[in-house]
Amino acid sequence: MIDQPLDIPVSNAHCTTLKWRAGIVFIEGIIQRVQGDTGQKALENLISMLDASGPAALADVQGDFVALVRSEGAIHAFKSFTSQFQLFYRPKDRLVSNRLYPLWDSDSEWNPAYFARHCFIVPGYQFMSAESPIAGVNRVLPGELVTFTRSGIEHQTYVQRQYRYKLDTTQTREQEAPGILALLRDAIATRLQARPDADICVEISGGLDSSFVACLLGEQRKNVNACPEGTRAIRGVMFSQPDIPSHAISERYAREVADRYGIDLIIVAPDALPWDSVHVQHYSDEPSDFFWYGDLFSRAVAELADPGSYVFTGFGADQLFLRSPAFLPYLLGRGEFAAWYKTLPHVSKLLARGQINLTWQCLLSQMPASWHRTLCNSRLFARSSLWDVSDVNMDRMLTNEVPWLKSRQSLAALTEQRRQQEAQLVGVDGIICDDWGYFSAPRTVCQSHFDHKGLVDASPFCDLALMDHMYNHVSAHLVHDFESPYKSLLREAQKGIVPETLRHRKSDTFVFNSFQLRYIEQSRERFEALIESANADWIDIAGAHQALEQVTFGMATSSTRSVVALLGYLQWQETFRQKAPRLKSQPEATCHMAQI
């Protein structure tokens, strides 16, 4: 049995090992609350629970973590429901690790199905799918406990959800906002208590989401129970293009937040981003289609944050609080005809689209996806927009095949598999969420820049307790409110905490397309070479080159979206090949392996 127990102080790291009656448990991530307690007491409670109930007790732990538990004759691997961290294993020899490189051998092969999902940008493939980039290597799924013994492998799912929107028009924003505020405060406080000596960095865009997190951090920083005396001020980082009006306004709001809460705010201009370093790549377990964002912005944050810091963000707020016109066909599908009829004119006004047109789109959206796809691909009214449902069901319009991508399975087939996985994880058509894999996104984007400095991404809006509250107790009409300003429920929760001028801002849209284009243009020669070296059995190389050319002209199609994802994969693949053998011979301190 291979095991590498670590002894890292809990307050300074996101990895630790604990001893329980039957062996050792290794944890990567943040344990926020166990049996009502936080910090060191939470870990003590966890040991008691393991002693009493075994590894299944991990299902009752609140946090963002993965765990490897060793007991006599067995290895148990568990992943919390919303964890950004991963556990990988190879069934043939029962080797399991929290990093992918220990499972890479000289005879390993890449997984074409994973490659297809990545290039098609199938939502959730790094979260709900058991596949990994390496053929024959799987990942532990959310809420799953995988037990490895000499006689075989056993899978048990302990955490699942059956979310379905609550529709209660008697609820008001004023009634529900305090509960949301309390949960967000708790999400931040429990993270601070898990690592009380960690410095804090927060990304502030000047928008509603990140500013709320920054304000709550500033509020709790004053609590001596959360942060000991003598700790350094919160460091804020904002990326701004002051020549763009929306950025200039956002910068003013960010400075207002920083002044109110004593945050040391650093404004990073476009030319101060690490453009000269984007060709220097570090190890990460998996590729990201937002690789360019990580190489520019996450790298810049890593340079500014102190080692071992938390890096707080407002990521995940859109999934919970941003209204969507997809609510219209959702209401129709649930038979909520009165609510649909009441909502229709407000959506029509917001989108500047006629009510008859939106009604037609809603009706088309009730049609099975395969039927609708047949109509879209037919010659019947081929040159018209008759079958277009993009105003209320963009998901249907993002299933165009990518001609240069050679996949054994179509995008439609992969999309159907994704829906089946979603149904098992969170229920069938219970809520509107375009990507249940968003929990894993921060780490795939940031890992290569954060890990070497011991930085830990912290996204309070991704807490399971907050999700459960929003989807089980808060009426959907408060989120999908088209009569009031967007995110009106979140704004209500911000009263007295976020500056009023910011809380009432009309728009906080940030556009990063120019950064992506500049990044690709600057690295064009390198990307062209990567495409040339790609597996010709997986892509049509000439077609991929053409799609890259279209990207540089600003074209936005399924093909151009996919070729950007392809670049992220090829860049990651090249780096993985280079880094994995060395790391395997000299594993990082945070890498943990177990085998039976």
Side-chain angles (χ1 to χ4, degrees):
M1 182 179 293
I2 302 172
D3 212 302
Q4 300 176 336
L6 307 176
D7 185 16
I8 301 176
V10 172
S11 61
N12 295 329
H14 66 284
C15 294
T16 190
T17 54
L18 305 169
K19 292 183 179 179
W20 66 298
R21 61 172 173 79
I24 291 174
V25 54
F26 166 85
I27 296 169
E28 180 174 28
I30 305 302
I31 301 295
Q32 293 173 246
R33 177 174 277 111
V34 183
Q35 292 182 327
D37 291 314
T38 62
Q40 188 69 30
K41 181 61 176 175
L43 297 179
E44 294 171 5
N45 291 349
L46 174 57
I47 295 171
S48 298
M49 290 171 59
L50 288 169
D51 288 344
S53 305
L58 291 163
D60 295 322
V61 174
Q62 178 184 337
D64 171 9
F65 70 97
V66 291
L68 274 174
V69 183
R70 186 179 70 180
S71 62
E72 186 174 352
I75 296 292
H76 312 270
F78 179 81
K79 177 179 176 179
S80 67
F81 191 74
T82 58
S83 174
Q84 62 178 301
F85 301 95
Q86 303 281 1
L87 289 173
F88 302 99
Y89 63 94
R90 191 164 52 205
K92 71 176 183 181
D93 61 0
R94 302 180 184 87
L95 175 62
V96 57
S97 175
N98 66 322
R99 296 290 182 270
L100 189 60
Y101 62 78
L103 298 114
W104 173 258
D105 294 325
S106 58
D107 60 347
S108 293
E109 297 181 355
W110 302 110
N111 186 342
Y114 179 98
F115 172 80
R117 284 186 170 85
H118 174 85
C119 291
F120 275 133
I121 318 179
V122 177
Y125 71 100
Q126 292 169 327
F127 188 70
M128 299 178 298
S129 173
E131 293 177 328
S132 81
I134 303 175
V137 174
N138 297 340
R139 81 176 76 240
V140 176
L141 297 176
E144 181 182 43
L145 179 68
V146 183
T147 299
F148 304 85
T149 64
R150 290 181 176 84
S151 60
I153 302 175
E154 180 182 350
H155 300 260
Q156 291 178 289
T157 300
Y158 282 96
V159 187
Q160 285 181 310
R161 291 295 186 266
Q162 290 293 320
Y163 288 137
R164 183 174 173 82
Y165 275 136
K166 183 173 184 176
L167 298 174
D168 179 2
T169 56
T170 65
Q171 284 188 6
T172 65
R173 290 194 296 268
E174 292 75 15
Q175 291 172 338
E176 298 305 318
I180 293 167
L181 174 59
L183 285 166
L184 277 170
R185 279 178 169 150
D186 185 73
I188 292 173
T190 51
R191 283 175 168 82
L192 297 180
Q193 291 156 11
R195 303 175 69 233
D197 295 335
D199 289 312
I200 300 174
C201 181
V202 58
E203 295 183 26
I204 309 177
S205 70
L208 294 172
D209 310 334
S210 62
S211 297
F212 197 10
V213 171
C215 291
L216 291 174
L217 281 167
E219 174 189 76
Q220 294 197 31
R221 192 67 161 179
K222 300 173 184 177
N223 182 348
V224 295
N225 294 321
C227 299
E229 292 184 13
T231 52
R232 280 174 279 192
I234 297 170
R235 178 163 297 166
V237 179
M238 180 188 184
F239 304 103
S240 178
Q241 288 181 278
D243 55 324
I244 298 178
S246 64
H247 282 229
I249 293 170
S250 294
E251 184 176 326
R252 187 173 73 243
Y253 289 141
R255 291 187 185 279
E256 189 175 357
V257 168
D259 290 343
R260 175 181 288 197
Y261 289 99
I263 296 172
D264 176 20
L265 181 63
I266 299 173
I267 305 293
V268 181
D271 289 339
L273 291 169
W275 294 102
D276 294 336
S277 304
V278 295
H279 65 283
V280 179
Q281 295 295 308
H282 302 290
Y283 173 86
S284 62
D285 289 315
E286 298 187 75
S288 170
D289 56 315
F290 269 81
F291 65 96
W292 57 272
Y293 184 95
D295 284 350
L296 291 175
F297 300 103
S298 299
R299 192 191 299 261
V301 169
E303 291 176 355
L304 294 169
D306 292 315
S309 292
Y310 269 126
V311 179
F312 279 87
T313 75
F315 181 76
D318 284 354
Q319 298 288 1
L320 295 178
F321 295 99
L322 188 62
R323 65 193 177 193
S324 170
F327 193 51
L328 271 180
Y330 174 86
L331 288 172
L332 198 61
R334 269 187 64 164
E336 298 286 344
F337 304 118
W340 175 84
Y341 185 74
K342 181 180 178 182
T343 306
L344 177 62
H346 302 294
V347 177
S348 174
K349 181 179 179 181
L350 181 70
L351 300 181
R353 185 74 70 186
Q355 294 185 37
I356 294 177
N357 181 281
L358 290 177
T359 298
W360 174 243
Q361 292 189 45
C362 288
L363 291 171
L364 285 174
S365 295
Q366 307 310 309
M367 182 184 298
S370 60
W371 295 9
H372 182 234
R373 190 162 50 250
T374 299
L375 286 175
C376 291
N377 295 332
S378 70
R379 295 183 179 180
L380 186 63
F381 302 106
R383 296 186 179 181
S384 75
S385 59
L386 183 63
W387 313 122
D388 183 8
V389 296
S390 56
D391 290 316
V392 300
N393 194 347
M394 180 57 72
D395 195 42
R396 287 274 180 98
M397 308 311 293
L398 293 178
T399 55
N400 293 330
E401 298 295 337
V402 177
W404 52 264
L405 187 56
K406 301 176 183 178
S407 174
R408 294 179 181 177
Q409 297 187 80
S410 67
L411 176 54
L414 293 174
T415 300
E416 180 57 31
Q417 292 174 21
R418 161 215 168 186
R419 296 203 180 285
Q420 293 173 4
Q421 292 164 349
E422 286 179 350
Q424 293 177 352
L425 186 71
V426 294
V428 181
D429 295 328
I431 62 170
I432 298 167
C433 181
D434 58 0
D435 185 358
W436 277 107
Y438 72 94
F439 307 109
S440 62
R443 183 157 178 79
T444 57
V445 173
C446 301
Q447 182 189 4
S448 62
H449 309 293
F450 280 15
D451 271 14
H452 72 281
K453 205 170 178 180
L455 305 179
V456 181
D457 179 271
S459 303
F461 285 106
C462 292
D463 265 29
L464 183 58
L466 178 61
M467 283 176 51
D468 285 346
H469 181 76
M470 290 298 299
Y471 295 144
N472 292 331
H473 302 289
V474 176
S475 179
H477 82 277
L478 295 179
V479 173
H480 301 284
D481 178 0
F482 297 91
E483 299 179 60
S484 307
Y486 74 101
K487 292 184 179 176
S488 55
L489 179 58
L490 188 65
R491 293 172 192 259
E492 183 67 28
Q494 295 175 343
K495 273 187 177 179
I497 298 168
V498 174
E500 285 297 290
T501 51
L502 167 54
R503 198 173 70 85
H504 289 292
R505 71 173 301 176
K506 294 182 179 180
S507 174
D508 62 353
T509 302
F510 259 60
V511 179
F512 291 100
N513 289 356
S514 60
F515 293 96
Q516 182 196 74
L517 290 175
R518 179 178 170 182
Y519 178 103
I520 290 175
E521 282 286 5
Q522 179 174 312
S523 307
R524 178 74 176 271
E525 185 175 340
R526 180 165 59 92
F527 287 145
E528 295 280 9
L530 284 174
I531 291 174
E532 279 296 320
S533 66
N535 189 337
D537 291 332
W538 290 8
I539 68 168
D540 173 60
I541 293 176
H545 279 302
Q546 183 180 8
L548 178 57
E549 184 74 17
Q550 292 171 343
V551 170
T552 63
F553 284 109
M555 295 178 64
T557 65
S558 294
S559 180
T560 56
R561 290 173 68 244
S562 287
V563 83
V564 172
L566 171 68
L567 299 179
Y569 180 93
L570 295 176
Q571 178 171 277
W572 167 84
Q573 185 184 56
E574 180 183 60
T575 305
F576 188 92
R577 280 197 186 111
Q578 295 170 353
K579 307 288 186 183
R582 181 186 62 79
L583 288 169
K584 189 172 182 179
S585 63
Q586 296 179 322
E588 309 156 288
T590 52
C591 175
H592 194 82
M593 295 170 281
Q595 187 176 33
I596 191 165

